[in-house]
Amino acid sequence: MARNKGPGNGEQIVSIMQGYNTKTNVTTDNHNSIILGSGNVIGDRLNALIVGNGLSLENDGIATTNLTVTSTLNGRTISDILPTYKKYIALISQSTTNAPTVIELENTIGPIIWTRSAVGIYFGTFAGAFTLNKTYVMLSNVLPNSIVMAKRRDNDTIEINTTNLHSPTAAFHDTHLLNNTLEIRVYE
């Protein structure tokens, strides 16, 4: 005696899903496509997998709004493919006696607060963010007659120094940051 595990059999469920998908998605002649969702538009004769709503696919492939890969991708482990660091990429400027201002382009480190400590000395602070031997800092030099330097000061602070080449001693000097590219990476 066969056990019934639920209403209908597998063929009925597939038929119901195909009827649902053809009524809520725009597609024709896609016998090799699987569509989970509604409001999708799929080109003709595609080998496709659609997971989500309101997606569009015109070539063979997969369309989804979120993809989670837990082990490997094309035979490579995820840790070999994805970055193993947090990053902060910004354009940094400073003038007169003001604290530096930044245009953040990318930030997975967290909220870094920029202050002016003294003439030509600026701090970016975020408690515990800049781990010893795992923090990389790079700052571009933009203005002529300037020397700019950035470094990890301690676990909480990135330090930027600017000097004026016209000074006989290359003394610290303000107003030498003008949309300089700043990159900070903190490796795991």
Side-chain angles (χ1 to χ4, degrees):
M1 182 170 161
R3 292 186 178 171
N4 188 350
K5 295 183 180 180
N9 60 31
E11 290 177 13
Q12 288 173 324
I13 292 170
V14 168
S15 175
I16 291 168
M17 288 301 295
Q18 286 173 340
Y20 172 78
N21 285 336
T22 58
K23 291 178 183 166
T24 61
N25 294 295
V26 177
T27 182
T28 57
D29 195 19
N30 276 312
H31 300 289
N32 291 328
S33 295
I34 298 171
I35 305 164
L36 303 173
S38 63
N40 299 297
V41 178
I42 299 94
D44 292 342
R45 296 187 181 105
L46 295 181
N47 296 311
L49 170 62
I50 307 292
V51 180
N53 300 319
L55 301 173
S56 177
L57 198 60
E58 296 182 20
N59 296 304
D60 289 352
I62 300 171
T64 184
T65 56
N66 184 25
L67 178 64
T68 302
V69 179
T70 58
S71 185
T72 63
L73 181 63
N74 293 334
R76 295 180 59 196
T77 61
I78 296 304
S79 61
D80 290 340
I81 298 170
L82 298 176
T84 58
Y85 55 84
K86 294 179 181 180
K87 60 186 161 184
Y88 178 90
I89 300 174
L91 302 176
I92 189 165
S93 298
Q94 187 280 330
S95 64
T96 64
T97 59
N98 296 320
T101 59
V102 295
I103 298 170
E104 287 186 0
L105 303 175
E106 216 172 328
N107 184 358
T108 58
I109 290 176
I112 299 174
I113 306 300
W114 292 97
T115 58
R116 178 181 179 269
S117 174
V119 174
I121 302 173
Y122 317 100
F123 295 144
T125 306
F126 183 44
F130 311 114
T131 312
L132 178 63
N133 297 326
K134 293 190 177 190
T135 300
Y136 160 92
V137 183
M138 180 63 70
L139 179 64
S140 68
N141 197 18
V142 174
L143 296 175
N145 303 314
S146 301
I147 297 176
V148 298
M149 185 210 56
K151 67 178 182 177
R152 174 196 171 274
R153 180 181 170 98
D154 56 39
N155 284 348
D156 303 328
T157 312
I158 298 296
E159 181 177 341
I160 294 177
N161 301 144
T162 61
T163 61
N164 184 349
L165 285 178
H166 286 301
S167 168
T169 60
F172 290 115
H173 198 266
D174 287 324
T175 313
H176 286 276
L177 297 173
L178 181 62
N179 286 327
N180 296 60
T181 306
L182 174 65
E183 180 176 2
I184 304 168
R185 294 182 188 178
V186 180
Y187 288 83
E188 295 175 2

